[in-house]
Amino acid sequence: MSEVRFKELRHAPPMAVNFAKAVLRARVRPGNAPVLPDEGLRLNDVAQKSRHLAAYRQVCGFSADGHLPITYPHMHAFPLHMALILGDGFPFPAMGLVHVRNRITQFRPIGEREQLNIKCYTGNLTQVEKGYEFSIFTVVSTAGERVWQSESVNFHRGGGHGEKKAPDAQREARTTAPAPDLVEEWEVPGDTGRRYASVSGDRNPIHLYPLTAKAFGFKRQIAHGMWSKARCLAALQPELPEQAFTVDVRFKLPMFIPAKVKFARTRQNDGLDFQLLAADGVKPHLSGEVRPVSD
């Protein structure tokens, strides 16, 4: 891929416009040789809105500590993500994309009054067994200092001819990991998707109501993956390090809501492993790990 050219935005793209474009581009197909555009988006001087931040904390379970929750910068980046995948040259439709992995690195705690500069771009297009995967990268800086970054890996089903991926060593290690040292049971109400949509702007119908979810092949609405990640990290908030660290999560089985789930945490020598499991304590909704950033 050639060097990314960034387009400067004056304000975040309205999410209502983004979803209207998603409907219009629902029939886009990747063709035989899809290529990602080499244009990224940049949005500068983004101020934090105290009411929105408070609403996000309430929905996800974070306590107020003077800093942004580790997942909160994604709220500013998501409209840019949508605008990227809804651009005229983007090879995949937004409808049907599956968020399969999210990796966040926080280089230092971000004060809740700091203004942020955000840039987003796509890359790492890979043909896999059942389709294609690609990444959306986000870099957040303030006063010239990089403070946060993320990689969101998305999957498009169809057109895949790549080799089946072998289980990686980390995944195999999790299957033989010792019993967790903390297990909590959570109730996830049926309106969780609507409440999270109200703060994130992600009003994908599969998250809202049973009828809207059924229209897309789900038996009822499912929780947002990034809500699940945020909820887990809210539970770990007192244990998250002050120094630079990375939170890497793989999204697995969808969580149909309302639901009863189990949150399991295991402390490692260099960090934490965690899982969000179905009520049976076996079927995984997500698995993740917190690790310090090596110098």
Side-chain angles (χ1 to χ4, degrees), residues 5-18:
R5 297 175 292 107
F6 286 95
K7 177 182 178 182
E8 189 104 12
L9 301 179
R10 297 180 62 183
H11 50 75
M15 289 302 295
V17 173
N18 279 339

Side-chain angles (χ1 to χ4, degrees), residues 56-284:
Y56 181 82
R57 284 172 170 150
Q58 184 176 27
V59 170
C60 299
F62 289 99
S63 61
D65 61 1
H67 297 104
L68 299 184
I70 174 67
T71 47
Y72 188 72
H74 181 78
M75 295 296 96
H76 297 306
F78 183 67
L80 277 66
H81 289 195
M82 288 291 292
L84 284 173
I85 65 179
L86 294 170
D88 290 338
F90 198 77
F92 306 112
M95 295 289 191
L97 289 179
V98 180
H99 193 182
V100 294
R101 180 177 171 183
N102 180 268
R103 180 182 177 91
I104 292 174
T105 300
Q106 180 175 275
F107 296 96
R108 68 158 173 82
I110 304 171
E112 59 185 28
R113 296 184 180 276
E114 292 190 68
Q115 290 192 336
L116 306 178
N117 300 322
I118 301 164
K119 62 180 183 180
C120 302
Y121 58 98
T122 59
N124 289 354
L125 177 61
T126 305
Q127 192 173 26
V128 295
E129 183 188 16
K130 295 183 179 180
Y132 292 91
E133 288 185 355
F134 67 91
S135 295
I136 305 178
F137 297 96
T138 302
V139 179
V140 176
S141 62
T142 179
E145 177 192 8
R146 183 183 59 169
V147 292
W148 191 96
Q149 67 184 30
S150 74
E151 178 184 3
S152 294
V153 181
N154 293 271
F155 170 72
H156 168 78
R157 183 178 295 276
H161 302 290
E163 295 182 2
K164 184 176 182 179
K165 292 183 177 180
D168 57 38
Q170 290 182 343
R171 198 180 310 173
E172 290 180 351
R174 290 190 191 105
T175 63
T176 58
D181 48 36
L182 171 71
V183 176
E184 298 178 351
E185 293 188 354
W186 298 343
E187 297 272 355
V188 183
D191 67 348
T192 300
R194 298 191 293 277
R195 293 173 61 224
Y196 185 77
S198 70
V199 296
S200 68
D202 185 354
R203 291 183 171 84
N204 188 322
I206 65 175
H207 302 302
L208 303 181
Y209 298 96
L211 285 177
T212 57
K214 286 178 181 178
F216 290 87
F218 295 91
K219 61 182 181 181
R220 62 179 187 273
Q221 69 269 36
I222 64 174
H224 295 74
M226 286 303 293
W227 174 85
S228 299
K229 179 172 184 174
R231 181 65 185 89
C232 290
L233 291 170
L236 296 173
Q237 185 176 1
E239 302 177 77
L240 297 178
E242 289 288 323
Q243 68 273 23
F245 69 96
T246 293
V247 184
D248 199 353
V249 157
R250 295 179 184 273
F251 301 111
K252 299 186 175 183
L253 299 176
M255 183 197 303
F256 295 99
I257 51 178
K260 293 182 179 181
V261 296
K262 291 184 177 180
F263 171 72
R265 182 214 68 185
T266 305
R267 177 162 290 283
Q268 302 291 344
N269 291 334
D270 59 346
L272 294 163
D273 289 349
F274 59 95
Q275 289 184 301
L276 194 59
L277 305 168
D280 62 7
V282 177
K283 293 190 288 290

